[in-house]
Amino acid sequence: MAEKIFPISQSQLEKIIQKYPTPFHIYDEKAIRLNMRRLFKAFSWAPSFREHYAVKAAPNPRLLQILAEEGAGADCSSLAELILSDKAGIHGEKIMLTSNDTPADEFQKAISLGAIINLDDITHIEYLEKNAGFPEVLSFRYNPGSLIEGNDIIGKPEEAKYGLTKKQLFEGYQICKDKGVKRFGLHTMVISNELNPNSFIATAELMFNLAVEIKEKLAINLEFVNLGGGVGIPYRPEETAIDLEYIGAGIHTAYDKIIRPAGLNLAIAMELGRAITGPYGYLVSTALHEKKTYKDYMGLDSCMANLMRPALYGAYHHITVVGKENAPLDHTYDITGSLCENNDKFAIDRQLPAIDIGDRIVIHDAGAHGHSMGFNYNGKLRSAELLWKENGDVELIRRAETLDDYFATLHYDGSVF
Ligand SMILES: *Cc1c(COP(=O)(O)O)cnc(C)c1O
């Protein structure tokens, strides 16, 4: 069971709203820090454990800075994410570029930052060499195909656009070794929002065996294996959070069995995003309109532009009506936004307490792939991001967009209107 408790009191929240009107995203700094420490502790047995936080999950330099203070690096897949990481004080091999269909300027930026480059395809070797040159440390993304089942969000590996086949992987390392690259890593990410801890242990075993095979066949001693992201979070209260200690211990056993006898000094890396910040970010909105037709609708002052997951994946996000945490769940609502899109709903047929107009509505687990997926459809503006600090203060870490931001990119002749 995952308890869904909004950690900020009602009176504190009202004070925050006086200064920063809803909707906004708010992140719990202390909980994020403790979570990061927990991950490092679960892998403290490993010769060198690295977490490259997946920047796309919450691309805010202030959050990246907090994560970096706790020891994290960054996993980037765009030019903006590389620059964000650099600005947050994450440098050199703490940055890993795991991109696909990569344009030259991303490779060039990664080289200039001294980042690790993780190639998604064998043809990218030539493209990289021609457009940017080789990095100090090169990695390849492995796609194990039907060896692994995958899941709904990411799909089956053999249907996924990512990574190299095993044959290409061996060719790729050989080509790069012949071209003088000396330091290598290996990467995979085959699963997303997965709550079964054994899948991560199975993936680690597969990757460890591959690392040994690469040593035997190519005489390459990999420096790290990166197991990607994909650790899920319990969006539903009846789900159970992944036990990071269990994963750490399971991977430890596999490491001792496979890697130690092979004499490899292999670091373990991960690129968790969702599991690090997801549960510790909240979208706070206000109930704006109640509408009763064939169903009861409660319209908020936020919409799918602020949190897309329910509309995009039919994802469940838990909802708390502030001040009514203990009230009976005796009303059934569709909780909607204002887009001219019928799937702009945060919840469908959700049992909730009676909601009054003006009630504050908290949507849980919005701390990863939440604000970052925002968009401007219907001219809706992205909200502010706030940091709830350990001492109870609130810091604005991204202001809300304004109409001036929206119009800033448009070119038109004012006189025609
Ligand atoms: C999205 C992504 C991640 C992070 O996934 P989470 O589900 O947030 O852990 C890590 N690595 C790569 C390559 C990704 O595309």
Side-chain angles (χ1 to χ4, degrees):
M1 287 290 286
E3 272 196 299
K4 296 289 171 191
I5 293 175
F6 182 53
I8 303 175
S9 73
Q10 187 170 14
S11 58
Q12 230 178 338
L13 181 65
E14 287 307 321
K15 273 197 206 118
I16 296 168
I17 292 172
Q18 274 174 18
K19 190 155 178 203
Y20 304 108
T22 61
F24 54 76
H25 285 257
I26 189 161
Y27 304 92
D28 181 345
E29 176 180 0
K30 186 174 175 191
I32 290 172
R33 284 186 186 275
L34 291 178
N35 195 29
M36 201 69 234
R37 285 173 209 168
R38 190 176 153 211
L39 175 70
F40 276 102
K41 190 143 177 273
F43 284 90
S44 57
W45 57 267
S48 148
F49 176 73
R50 314 165 187 180
E51 153 68 0
H52 298 273
Y53 177 75
V55 174
K56 71 169 192 259
N60 187 303
R62 189 70 181 90
L63 294 176
L64 296 180
Q65 193 183 25
I66 289 166
L67 295 167
E69 280 170 15
E70 296 299 335
D75 157 41
C76 302
S77 53
S78 70
L79 189 58
E81 290 176 3
L82 286 167
I83 297 170
L84 280 169
S85 304
D86 188 46
K87 288 198 185 294
I90 302 172
H91 304 300
E93 292 173 22
K94 283 256 180 185
I95 303 180
M96 177 133 170
L97 177 71
T98 295
S99 52
N100 66 94
D101 192 20
T102 312
D105 58 355
E106 285 177 24
F107 281 139
Q108 288 155 2
K109 187 72 189 175
I111 294 281
S112 78
L113 294 175
I116 298 172
I117 293 181
N118 187 28
L119 293 183
D120 185 66
D121 188 45
I122 193 155
T123 63
H124 292 191
I125 298 171
E126 201 185 323
Y127 184 83
L128 176 68
E129 186 179 29
K130 209 166 91 199
N131 289 287
F134 288 112
E136 219 7 69
V137 189
L138 191 66
S139 170
F140 288 101
R141 179 170 186 162
Y142 172 46
N143 181 330
S146 53
L147 288 178
I148 288 208
E149 275 179 21
N151 67 8
D152 282 352
I153 291 188
I154 206 159
K156 291 177 193 271
E158 70 269 31
E159 307 272 346
K161 65 173 177 169
Y162 308 112
L164 290 77
T165 64
K166 189 165 171 186
K167 184 164 170 284
Q168 292 172 334
L169 197 66
F170 279 78
E171 277 173 36
Y173 283 116
Q174 189 62 58
I175 292 169
C176 292
K177 191 179 167 196
D178 293 345
K179 285 181 182 289
V181 179
K182 296 204 164 48
R183 298 173 58 203
F184 291 99
L186 169 66
H187 171 279
T188 198
M189 165 142 176
V190 286
I191 227 145
S192 181
N193 193 26
E194 179 61 53
L195 284 173
N196 176 0
N198 293 320
S199 335
F200 297 94
I201 299 168
T203 303
E205 282 175 359
L206 180 97
M207 296 292 277
F208 290 165
N209 282 320
L210 193 52
V212 173
E213 201 178 329
I214 288 166
K215 178 179 173 179
E216 284 167 357
K217 295 206 172 129
L218 302 173
I220 289 175
N221 288 350
L222 294 177
E223 291 191 11
F224 66 84
V225 158
N226 184 328
L227 302 171
V231 171
I233 58 173
Y235 285 100
R236 294 173 182 271
E238 67 271 20
E239 289 170 339
T240 305
I242 272 235
D243 186 343
L244 292 174
E245 291 75 19
Y246 177 91
I247 297 184
I251 295 179
H252 189 180
T253 305
Y255 193 95
D256 285 350
K257 196 176 75 193
I258 303 165
I259 296 298
R260 294 215 194 265
L264 276 169
N265 183 25
L266 189 74
I268 293 177
M270 290 185 118
E271 297 170 340
L272 303 185
R274 187 188 319 269
I276 301 299
T277 54
Y280 311 114
Y282 306 83
L283 171 60
V284 180
S285 311
T286 301
L288 192 61
H289 292 289
E290 181 171 16
K291 168 170 176 155
K292 296 183 186 221
T293 50
Y294 305 101
K295 300 179 88 171
D296 283 7
Y297 297 97
M298 185 54 68
L300 308 187
D301 60 356
S302 56
C303 67
M304 165 186 179
N306 305 106
L307 179 66
M308 198 180 187
R309 298 189 70 262
L312 185 63
Y313 310 121
Y316 179 96
H317 277 258
H318 198 70
I319 293 177
T320 296
V321 183
V322 177
K324 298 182 176 170
E325 289 80 358
N326 300 314
L329 308 178
D330 53 5
H331 283 63
T332 307
Y333 294 106
D334 279 14
I335 304 293
T336 73
S338 54
L339 292 192
C340 299
E341 272 295 328
N342 193 41
N343 62 349
D344 182 20
K345 293 177 181 174
F346 293 113
I348 296 173
D349 295 331
R350 184 72 58 89
Q351 287 300 116
L352 288 166
I355 301 174
D356 293 301
I357 303 305
D359 277 354
R360 309 303 184 186
I361 310 293
V362 170
I363 303 183
H364 292 254
D365 301 307
H369 313 293
H371 188 285
S372 62
M373 277 188 173
F375 58 109
N376 285 127
Y377 187 56
N378 260 180
K380 292 291 171 179
L381 304 175
R382 275 175 284 243
S383 73
E385 291 185 294
L386 307 177
L387 183 68
W388 187 50
K389 303 212 285 192
E390 296 191 63
N391 64 6
D393 289 351
V394 167
E395 181 185 328
L396 181 69
I397 58 172
R398 186 196 301 267
R399 69 160 170 78
E401 282 180 347
T402 64
L403 279 177
D404 285 342
D405 296 324
Y406 184 83
F407 282 96
T409 54
L410 298 173
H411 289 271
Y412 58 91
D413 174 0
S415 67
V416 300
F417 291 99

